[in-house]
């Protein structure tokens, strides 16, 4: 939504017209001073011309103001200084008058032009600040709406899933067709419940800085915990690991990091066949630890892997929209990767995407490595048998 512009000003964009208006302003001052000739001292009449310069500097810019300054001196000489209607002067003392008038006019032009620039800069900054406040307010309203909707949807969805699950137990066994429908209702209710949960989590992550319960984590324990949480879904997948034993420890929130790895595993499961292969690997170096989750699915468009991934994470698809290749397990909405990105950003890391040489895609977590804690030395029992 566009904000209203500041108050209208007489600012002409055509440079030639600006100079013409500056000339008209100087001419108007000359016409104003003509009746005063003989009534006032020439020095007093000369002080009228800086008014034209001031007008040009404020309204038209520095260049037209300087032009008005020189033109004012010329008009004062031509119309008011003897001999009239010529640029010649009968008394050399008027040269000093012209110099003072020109100096005053140029100083006025410079000061007024500087004030004009500062005013315009201040108002431009106020426009930018207003736009930033509007964007922040819109983002806050969006996140609040997502959180409210997600919270209000989860309870009825849980009840719907429970009712669908209890249908076969409520009486005589259901015919196969009705039993299949009841199971489909339960599955979709649980899937939508997961989607509402992810919307709520994403709104919380994006609306405020997450409070991290930081602790020292071993990568193998983190991966093992995530695999245990997804053990049922991984039964028909081939798993391969490449986790060196000397990997450094992570300083991270265990619950959130397990969510990150689980989301990437869900993504890999969603884009591999029943006997597909999933590879989990990790390596460290140069102050960073990289954890990769790769699959042998369809992959990302060649040459545009990271661009496609970043665009998809920034704008997750609404339910029912077309999903990007290798999105997430959350019904193809992209919420899983958006949550991964938000959690990684909270930890000072980021996510990248690339295709595998043999087909499929890899999502790589990049986490900064803090100074490692001192590990206790191995216990020494003095050589006595235990």
């Amino acid at each position: 939504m566009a904000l209203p512009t500041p108050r209208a000003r007489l600012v002409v964009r055509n440079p030639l017209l600006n100079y013409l208006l500056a000339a008209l302003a100087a001419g108007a001052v000359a016409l104003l001073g003509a009746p005063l000739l003989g009534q006032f001292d020439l020095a007093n009449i000369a002080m009228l011309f800086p008014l034209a310069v001031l007008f040009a500097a404020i309204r038209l810019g520095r260049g037209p103001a300087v032009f008005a300054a020189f033109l004012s001196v010329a008009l004062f000489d031509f119309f008011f200084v003897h001999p009239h209607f010529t640029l010649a002067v009968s008394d050399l003392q008027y040269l000093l008058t012209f110099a003072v008038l020109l100096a005053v006019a140029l100083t006025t032009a410079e000061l007024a032009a500087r004030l004009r620039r500062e005013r315009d800069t201040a108002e431009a900054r106020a426009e930018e600040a207003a736009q930033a406040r509007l964007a922040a307010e819109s983002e806050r309203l969006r996140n609040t709406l997502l959180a409210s909707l997600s919270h209000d949807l989860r309870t009825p969805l849980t009840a719907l899933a429970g009712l669908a699950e209890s249908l076969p137990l409520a009486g005589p066994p259901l015919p196969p067709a009705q039993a299949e429908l009841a199971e489909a209702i339960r599955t979709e209710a649980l899937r939508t419940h997961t989607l509402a949960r992810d919307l709520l989590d994403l709104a919380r992550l994006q609306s405020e800085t997450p409070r991290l319960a930081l602790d020292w984590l071993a990568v193998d324990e983190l991966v093992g915990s995530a695999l245990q949480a997804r053990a049922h879904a991984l039964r028909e997948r081939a798993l391969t690991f490449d986790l060196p034993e000397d990997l450094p420890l992570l300083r991270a929130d265990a619950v959130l990091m397990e969510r990150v790895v689980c989301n990437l595993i869900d993504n890999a499961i969603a884009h591999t066949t029943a006997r597909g292969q999933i590879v989990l690997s990790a390596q460290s170096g140069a102050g960073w630890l990289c954890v990769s989750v790769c699959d042998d699915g369809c992959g990302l468009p060649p040459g545009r892997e990271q661009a496609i991934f970043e665009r998809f994470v920034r704008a997750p698809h609404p339910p029912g929209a077309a999903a990007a290749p290798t999105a997430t397990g959350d019904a193809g909405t992209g919420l899983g990767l958006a949550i991964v990105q938000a959690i990684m950003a909270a930890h000072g890391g980021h996510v990248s995407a690339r295709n595998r040489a043999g087909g499929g895609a890899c999502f790589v977590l990049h986490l900064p490595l803090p100074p490692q804690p001192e590990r206790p030395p191995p216990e020494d029992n003095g050589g006595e048998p235990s």
Side-chain angles (χ1 to χ4, degrees):
M1 181 178 68
L3 292 178
T5 57
R7 64 185 185 279
R9 305 190 194 97
L10 180 59
V11 179
V12 183
R13 298 303 180 188
N14 189 329
L16 294 179
L17 192 54
N18 282 347
Y19 283 92
L20 177 60
L21 289 175
L24 290 176
V29 171
L31 289 176
L32 178 65
L36 303 179
L37 185 62
Q39 306 294 326
F40 291 88
D41 188 74
L42 286 181
N44 294 327
I45 296 176
M47 290 299 99
L48 296 175
F49 285 94
L51 295 176
V53 179
L54 183 63
F55 166 79
I58 294 176
R59 300 295 187 179
L60 306 176
R62 187 175 182 276
V66 173
F67 172 71
F70 282 97
L71 183 59
S72 295
V73 173
L75 291 175
F76 178 72
D77 181 19
F78 190 81
F79 289 105
F80 297 94
V81 176
H82 187 79
H84 301 299
F85 309 113
T86 176
L87 294 179
V89 292
S90 60
D91 192 342
L92 292 181
Q93 69 177 347
Y94 285 116
L95 295 178
L96 178 60
T97 302
F98 298 158
V100 172
L101 176 59
L102 182 61
V104 171
L106 291 176
T107 302
T108 301
E110 180 61 29
L111 292 176
R114 183 181 302 174
L115 289 174
R116 178 175 179 266
R117 290 194 300 269
E118 292 177 355
R119 178 201 64 193
D120 293 343
T121 301
E123 291 187 352
R125 289 176 178 171
E127 282 284 66
E128 293 173 359
Q131 292 284 2
R133 287 195 300 270
L134 178 62
E137 184 64 20
S138 298
E139 183 68 14
R140 186 192 66 80
L141 180 61
R142 183 186 71 88
N143 290 334
T144 301
L145 180 61
L146 283 177
S148 178
L149 287 175
S150 301
H151 183 272
D152 292 342
L153 284 174
R154 292 174 69 183
T155 300
L157 287 171
T158 302
L160 181 61
L163 290 173
E165 187 174 3
S166 63
L167 275 178
L169 307 176
L174 294 176
Q178 281 75 9
E180 185 177 349
L181 286 175
E183 178 61 22
I185 292 173
R186 189 187 73 86
T187 301
E188 289 302 310
L190 290 176
R191 185 183 68 85
T192 310
H193 180 277
T194 300
L195 179 61
R197 180 205 64 189
D198 287 345
L199 281 171
L200 181 60
D201 290 345
L202 183 60
R204 287 172 176 169
L205 289 168
Q206 291 183 341
S207 62
E208 59 185 18
T209 302
R211 296 179 180 179
L212 303 179
L214 297 177
D215 199 359
W216 292 105
L217 304 177
V219 177
D220 55 349
E221 294 179 0
L222 173 63
V223 172
S225 178
L227 291 177
Q228 184 177 3
R230 295 296 184 266
H232 180 77
L234 286 168
R235 287 182 305 175
E236 297 181 354
R237 301 303 192 278
L239 292 177
T240 303
F241 302 94
D242 183 10
L243 304 175
E245 295 183 357
D246 58 348
L247 286 174
L249 298 176
L250 287 175
R251 182 72 172 170
D253 187 302
V255 176
L256 292 180
M257 287 307 302
E258 180 181 333
R259 178 77 177 278
V260 165
V261 178
C262 285
N263 281 7
L264 293 186
I265 292 176
D266 290 340
N267 176 70
I269 293 172
H271 294 87
T272 56
T273 60
R275 292 179 174 80
Q277 183 183 46
I278 298 175
V279 180
L280 288 90
S281 60
Q283 58 182 356
S284 62
W288 289 85
L289 177 73
C290 298
V291 179
S292 303
V293 180
C294 304
D295 59 64
D296 58 356
C298 58
L300 294 164
R304 301 180 59 198
E305 298 94 332
Q306 189 63 23
I308 293 291
F309 164 69
E310 291 178 354
R311 185 178 66 185
F312 193 68
V313 166
R314 286 195 299 269
H317 289 250
T326 311
T328 70
D330 295 328
T333 61
L335 290 173
L337 286 183
I339 291 172
V340 168
Q341 185 81 321
I343 294 175
M344 292 297 292
H347 284 82
H350 62 279
V351 191
S352 63
R354 58 179 173 81
N355 281 332
R356 294 180 67 190
C362 289
F363 292 90
V364 186
L365 308 175
H366 303 264
L367 285 161
L369 283 177
Q372 295 293 293
E374 294 184 4
R375 304 196 181 191
E379 296 183 0
D380 186 2
N381 55 16
E384 297 180 2
S386 55

